[in-house]
Amino acid sequence: MFLYQKLGFNLKVLNEANFNELEDAFANESPLIAVYDTETDGLDNLHSKPFLIGVGLKNSLFVFEPTVPLVHRFLEASKSANYLLAHNAKFDYHMLLNMGCTIPDDCPLGDTLAMARITEYADSEDGISLESLGKRYVDEESKFASSIIKKLKNEINKRRLIEAKTALKKLLPKNIKLSDVVEGSKKKVYGVNTELDPWINKFDTLFEEATYKSVYQEYPELMISYLADDLVVTLLYAKKAFPVLACVDPDFKVWNQENELLRVVADIERNGMAVSVDYLLESRKKVLQYRELVYNQLWEKTGIVFTAGQHQVIKNYFLEKFGISMDSSDKASLEQLSLSLNGEGKEIASMILELRTLDKWLSTYIEGMLNRVSLDDDFIPRIYPEINNSGAVTGRVSSDMQQQPSEPLLTKDGDELFHPRRVFVADEGSNIFYFDFSQMELRLQAYYTLLVSDGDENLCRAFMPFKFTSYLTGETFDFQKHDPNSDEWVDENGNLWKPVDLHNITTLKAFPHLTVDHPDFKHYRRLGKVGNFLKNYGGGLQAIKDKLHVDDEIANAINRGYYEAFPKILDYQRWVESQLSKYGYVENIFGRRYYLRSSNLFYRAYNYLIQGGCADLMKQKEIRVYNFLKEHKLKTKVLLPVHDELQLSIPFDEHWIVPKIKEIMDDNKDYIASVPMICDIEMTSSTWADKKDYEIESL
C-alpha cells in the first residue's frame, strides 16, 4: 500500500477539463502550506523537463501532465497559499523554466531542504534528503516505492541496452568489436575524435538510456503513486517542521533569505561560465604525452609493466625489491615511503604518486570539464555550475566549480602542463571581476573576541589600529568613527600602525629560536599558517599532526604558539562552550542557530559561528547584487559564488557599476560593528588564472 493510501489522502489525476478542481481547492482552502514536486526525464538543470507535476494541500493531492497553460494556472492559484514548498525547490524552479514557465516573483516559494538544514541538530548524522526526512518524521516505510521505481528503470535500461547491442552487432564490420564501441561510448570525451566515432554515434542513436519518464510510459499508475507519496512526505514533514522553525528562527529571517536565494542562484546557474575548449584539448594532449613518458621511465626502472592503480602489484614490488611490507599503497603510505626512503625506492614511490596526480587531473579537471561543456544560444562553449545552498551544516554555499586549483599542474622540471583556471575565459566585450572579501573569517574571529572579551590584540591589529591613539587628536581609534588607513595611529611606544602578520606571530611564538631572517623561517611559517587555519576551524593536536605530517613536538609547539599569539581566542572558545551548555545552541551574526546535543562536539561550534556567519553574509550579498543588477536592467551577470568571493561578468560599457558593487560588499556594519570587513577587487580580460588587482581609481 502506498503512503498516500495508508494515510487517507485523496488523489486526483487532472487534465484540462477538470483542472478547475485544483484552482477551487486553493481558493476554498487558502492553505498555509501547499507543496509541489516535478517528475522529470533527467537531472540536468538546463535541459531536463517535467513529465508530471504533483500538488498537495491539506488532504488533497493532484497530479497532471504539464503544459504551459496548466502550469501558469497552477502557479496563479498557488498565490493563495502562504508558502508553496518543494524539496530542493531550486531544481523544480529550473524544470518549470525549461518548459517555458517563469515562476512569478509574488509566488511564495519555499524550500523544505533549507528548512531541514535550519531545524536539524548541527551534530546530527542523519541526512536531509526527502527519503531520510520521511523515514524519521513521517513513516518508516514512506519511500518504499523508490526501490521499485529504480528497479524498473534498471530493467528497462538493461532491455534497451541488449536491443541496441543486438541491432548494432548486425551492422558492425568484422574488424570492429562490439565491446570496444560500447566502452568507447562510455568513455567518450567531448571534442576528442576517434576511429570508432561513426559506430559510437550509431550506438548512441540506438540506445536511449532509461529515465523515470521511461517508467511512467510503461507503468503510469505506479509513477503517479510514487509522486503522490513524495507530496505526502513533503507536506507532513513541513507541517511538523514549521513549529520548530518558528522556535529556532523566530522571525524566519534565515529561512526567508534561503527562499529568496532560490531564484538568485538558479539564475546564476543558468548564466554559465565561458570556457576554452581548445585549451582543454591542448592540455589533454600534453598531459597524456607527459604521462606516457613517466610510465616508460617507471617501467624501465622497475622492469615490470603496471599502472599506478594496481595496488597489489605495487605492494608486491616494494616487498620483493626493498623488503618493505605495506598494508596499503594509498597516497599517505606512498608519501611516507617517499620521505623515508632514499635513492631508487624514493624515486619510484614519487613517480607512482605523480602518475596518480596526472590521472586525477586528467579525469577531473580536463576530461571531466570537457564532458560538461554545452553550447549556449550563441554557440559559445560554457560550463554550467551547480550550487548547493544547504549542503553544509554551517549554511555555507558549496559548488562543483569552486575547487578549481589556483596553482597549475607541473612537470618534474617545473614546466606548466595545465592550469584549471585558464579554462575559464572572459566573454567577448566583457571583463570578469572578482569581488573577494579580505581574510573574511579571520576578521569575524577578531570581532567575536571583541564581543566576548576586550578583543585579541594581535588578531585585531591585523585589520585595524586597535587600541592605538591619534597623535593628532589624542583620540583612541574607533572603527565606527575613524579611518584605519590614515597615518596618525600610534601605539603606546609611539610606533605607527601597520597590519600584524598573523602567521608570523604564530610561527615566532611556536618556535621562539627563529627570527624572520632565519633560513628555515619560510618553512616553519608555512606550518604556522596551516596551523592557524586548522585551529580556527576547531582542529586539535591530531588535526595538526595529520594535516602537516609532523610529530608530537611540532604539533604541540604550533598549538601552544597559536594560543600564545591569540590568547583571547581561547576566551571566545570557552564562551561558545558556555553558551551551548546553558542554552543548547549558539547563534551566528545573522541569526542562524546551531544546536548541539553532545558536549564532546561543542568544539565544532567554534568554526560554525565563523564560517556560518560569513556564509550568511555572502548570501545576503548575492541577493543584494542580483537585485541591483535586476533593478537597473543590466547585462552584467553573476557567474559564481566561491566562499568569500563573487565573480561577475561585466560588459565594457557597464564598468561604472564596479564601485557600486564594492559599496554593497563593503556595507557590513549592521552585522560586524567594530572590525572592518572589506572587499578587494581583481579583474581579468582573458582567463581566471590571469586575474590582477583592480583599483577603482583607474576607472
Side-chain angles (χ1 to χ4, degrees):
M1 180 181 291
F2 286 94
L3 183 65
Y4 80 91
Q5 296 168 326
K6 179 179 178 180
L7 298 180
F9 278 80
N10 299 313
L11 173 62
K12 185 76 174 182
V13 179
L14 303 177
N15 53 40
E16 191 172 350
N18 64 354
F19 200 79
N20 63 293
E21 293 185 30
L22 172 62
E23 295 166 312
D24 292 343
F26 270 108
N28 295 332
E29 298 182 17
S30 297
L32 171 66
I33 301 169
V35 302
Y36 87 106
D37 191 17
T38 60
E39 292 298 341
T40 64
D41 58 10
L43 298 175
D44 187 309
N45 282 343
L46 268 70
H47 301 107
S48 298
K49 292 182 179 179
F51 59 86
L52 279 180
I53 291 180
V55 183
L57 53 161
K58 294 191 176 178
N59 292 313
S60 300
L61 309 175
F62 302 90
V63 175
F64 61 97
E65 291 186 355
T67 63
V68 172
L70 291 184
V71 171
H72 282 311
R73 288 173 66 181
F74 150 57
L75 292 174
E76 187 62 31
S78 72
K79 293 179 183 179
S80 65
N82 288 51
Y83 288 100
L84 177 63
L85 305 179
H87 198 72
N88 190 11
K90 179 165 62 67
F91 177 76
D92 298 286
Y93 180 87
H94 278 302
M95 295 304 101
L96 296 192
L97 281 176
N98 290 348
M99 62 173 297
C101 297
T102 301
I103 300 179
D105 288 343
D106 58 348
C107 193
L109 285 185
D111 193 350
T112 51
L113 187 67
M115 181 186 287
R117 176 56 70 211
I118 296 166
T119 56
E120 289 289 298
Y121 280 102
D123 54 357
S124 172
E125 298 296 327
D126 298 313
I128 58 172
S129 68
L130 189 61
E131 184 169 354
S132 180
L133 295 172
K135 287 181 178 179
R136 294 205 302 280
Y137 299 115
V138 180
D139 188 282
E140 180 65 28
E141 297 181 350
S142 62
K143 292 282 287 183
F144 83 96
S146 177
S147 59
I148 299 174
I149 298 293
K150 289 176 183 176
K151 181 180 178 181
L152 290 172
K153 183 168 77 74
N154 290 337
E155 288 176 357
I156 295 170
N157 210 54
K158 185 177 180 180
R159 185 183 73 222
R160 288 181 177 183
L161 183 59
I162 292 171
E163 291 170 352
K165 286 180 177 180
T166 302
L168 183 62
K169 191 172 183 179
K170 296 176 181 178
L171 303 174
L172 283 178
K174 291 182 179 180
N175 63 328
I176 295 179
K177 294 181 179 179
L178 176 63
S179 58
D180 290 343
V181 176
V182 174
E183 192 64 20
S185 176
K186 293 177 183 177
K187 295 183 177 179
K188 179 69 177 172
V189 177
Y190 179 91
V192 177
N193 299 318
T194 72
E195 294 180 356
L196 290 176
D197 280 356
W199 299 108
I200 289 173
N201 294 336
K202 183 66 176 176
F203 173 75
D204 290 343
T205 302
L206 292 169
F207 174 62
E208 181 184 357
E209 189 164 358
T211 66
Y212 278 18
K213 185 175 182 179
S214 310
V215 179
Y216 176 62
Q217 290 168 337
E218 296 192 23
Y219 307 94
E221 292 184 2
L222 182 61
M223 276 305 306
I224 289 171
S225 294
Y226 171 77
L227 174 55
D229 276 7
D230 277 358
L231 294 171
V232 170
V233 171
T234 307
L235 187 62
L236 295 184
Y237 165 72
K239 287 181 177 179
K240 289 186 176 182
F242 246 111
V244 180
L245 182 67
C247 292
V248 304
D249 186 19
D251 55 3
F252 287 178
K253 180 181 179 182
V254 179
W255 194 55
N256 286 340
Q257 175 169 281
E258 294 290 340
N259 294 337
E260 189 175 0
L261 203 61
L262 288 172
R263 292 177 171 86
V264 175
V265 173
D267 282 0
I268 292 173
E269 290 177 334
R270 299 180 83 85
N271 289 334
M273 305 170 73
V275 296
S276 172
V277 172
D278 288 343
Y279 177 71
L280 280 166
L281 292 173
E282 291 167 8
S283 299
R284 180 179 182 272
K285 184 177 179 180
K286 288 168 66 175
V287 172
L288 285 172
Q289 289 174 342
Y290 180 70
R291 185 180 68 170
E292 183 179 5
L293 174 66
V294 177
Y295 262 122
N296 286 333
Q297 292 173 346
L298 177 66
W299 296 337
E300 184 178 346
K301 285 186 175 297
T302 60
I304 55 174
V305 176
F306 65 100
T307 68
Q310 290 181 276
H311 294 270
Q312 192 58 51
V313 174
I314 292 168
K315 290 193 288 184
N316 290 343
Y317 174 79
F318 277 98
L319 180 61
E320 294 169 7
K321 181 72 175 179
F322 303 103
I324 297 173
S325 178
M326 301 173 65
D327 293 330
S328 171
S329 64
D330 61 9
K331 180 180 178 182
S333 301
L334 287 170
E335 284 178 344
Q336 191 62 40
L337 272 184
S338 67
L339 291 172
S340 61
L341 292 176
N342 292 311
E344 185 179 355
K346 179 184 182 73
E347 188 175 1
I348 289 170
S350 298
M351 291 171 76
I352 295 170
L353 285 169
E354 183 180 22
L355 286 165
R356 289 184 183 173
T357 299
L358 292 169
D359 286 341
K360 179 181 178 181
W361 282 58
L362 182 66
S363 63
T364 302
Y365 300 116
I366 299 180
E367 294 182 347
M369 290 296 105
L370 280 167
N371 284 335
R372 292 188 58 179
V373 170
S374 295
L375 298 179
D376 67 11
D377 293 338
D378 296 319
F379 300 100
I380 297 171
R382 308 188 88 81
I383 289 176
Y384 295 89
E386 291 194 11
I387 301 165
N388 187 345
N389 297 326
S390 301
V393 169
T394 59
R396 192 178 195 180
V397 171
S398 60
S399 166
D400 57 354
M401 296 303 299
Q402 68 193 22
Q403 301 298 340
Q404 300 300 315
S406 59
E407 298 298 327
L409 177 66
L410 304 174
T411 67
K412 279 183 284 195
D413 296 328
D415 298 324
E416 183 172 309
L417 289 169
F418 171 65
H419 197 315
R421 296 191 176 189
R422 293 198 195 286
V423 174
F424 301 93
V425 299
D427 279 303
E428 186 175 351
S430 298
N431 297 125
I432 303 176
F433 283 81
Y434 305 83
F435 296 86
D436 184 3
F437 276 110
S438 170
Q439 297 180 292
M440 190 181 198
E441 293 185 357
L442 290 172
R443 290 173 187 267
L444 185 52
Q445 177 71 84
Y447 177 63
Y448 270 112
T449 67
L450 286 164
L451 287 181
V452 305
S453 61
D454 60 348
D456 187 88
E457 189 170 287
N458 283 330
L459 191 56
C460 291
R461 287 184 176 183
F463 311 117
M464 60 184 179
F466 177 62
K467 294 185 179 179
F468 277 53
T469 57
S470 169
Y471 69 81
L472 297 175
T473 66
E475 291 181 280
T476 300
F477 175 79
D478 182 343
F479 171 58
Q480 293 284 0
K481 295 165 51 180
H482 300 130
D483 177 8
N485 297 312
S486 63
D487 295 328
E488 62 184 281
W489 304 107
V490 294
D491 64 13
E492 57 276 9
N493 298 316
N495 299 311
L496 285 170
W497 174 71
K498 63 177 182 179
V500 167
D501 187 315
L502 300 176
H503 307 313
N504 275 10
I505 289 182
T506 298
T507 305
L508 293 171
K509 292 289 187 182
F511 310 105
H513 64 285
L514 295 176
T515 64
V516 293
D517 299 322
H518 193 282
D520 293 334
F521 183 77
K522 186 176 181 180
H523 164 72
Y524 283 99
R525 186 184 184 278
R526 183 188 69 81
L527 300 182
K529 179 178 180 178
V530 176
N532 275 348
F533 285 111
L534 286 171
K535 293 301 297 179
N536 289 339
Y537 283 116
L541 287 172
Q542 194 59 48
I544 295 173
K545 289 174 62 178
D546 292 344
K547 183 69 175 180
L548 294 174
H549 303 296
V550 295
D551 58 22
D552 288 342
E553 182 179 357
I554 297 293
N556 276 299
I558 292 171
N559 190 67
R560 184 191 67 250
Y562 175 84
Y563 287 115
E564 288 182 5
F566 315 113
K568 297 298 183 180
I569 290 181
L570 188 58
D571 291 346
Y572 158 75
Q573 292 175 348
R574 288 169 176 162
W575 172 80
V576 168
E577 295 187 10
S578 173
Q579 293 292 108
L580 285 166
S581 296
K582 186 174 182 180
Y583 301 108
Y585 70 88
V586 285
E587 184 174 299
N588 75 16
I589 55 170
F590 193 76
R592 185 187 296 265
R593 293 180 181 179
Y594 307 100
Y595 288 79
L596 288 101
R597 293 163 293 188
S598 171
S599 59
N600 293 331
L601 299 177
F602 281 0
Y603 71 91
R604 292 182 180 178
Y606 306 161
N607 177 246
Y608 288 170
L609 289 180
I610 305 298
Q611 191 180 99
C614 291
D616 281 316
L617 196 59
M618 279 298 297
K619 288 179 175 180
Q620 185 192 79
K621 300 306 178 186
E622 286 180 61
I623 293 168
R624 288 185 60 187
V625 169
Y626 175 84
N627 288 339
F628 173 84
L629 299 178
K630 190 174 180 181
E631 177 186 349
H632 291 83
K633 298 181 171 64
L634 297 170
K635 295 173 290 184
T636 293
K637 296 178 179 179
V638 181
L639 299 179
L640 190 69
V642 184
H643 297 323
D644 51 6
E645 175 184 278
L646 275 184
Q647 300 181 9
L648 280 75
S649 176
I650 304 181
F652 297 156
D653 61 351
E654 291 182 359
H655 279 200
W656 62 269
I657 72 169
V658 173
K660 303 291 185 183
I661 302 298
K662 180 168 170 57
E663 284 179 16
I664 292 173
M665 301 295 283
D666 285 349
D667 180 18
N668 301 302
K669 288 186 179 180
D670 287 346
Y671 295 97
I672 306 171
S674 48
V675 177
M677 184 71 80
I678 59 174
C679 169
D680 295 328
I681 307 175
E682 294 176 296
M683 184 270 284
T684 184
S685 58
S686 53
T687 79
W688 187 355
D690 301 318
K691 65 179 182 176
K692 305 292 183 184
D693 290 341
Y694 183 88
E695 296 294 335
I696 288 179
E697 288 74 18
S698 65
L699 280 171

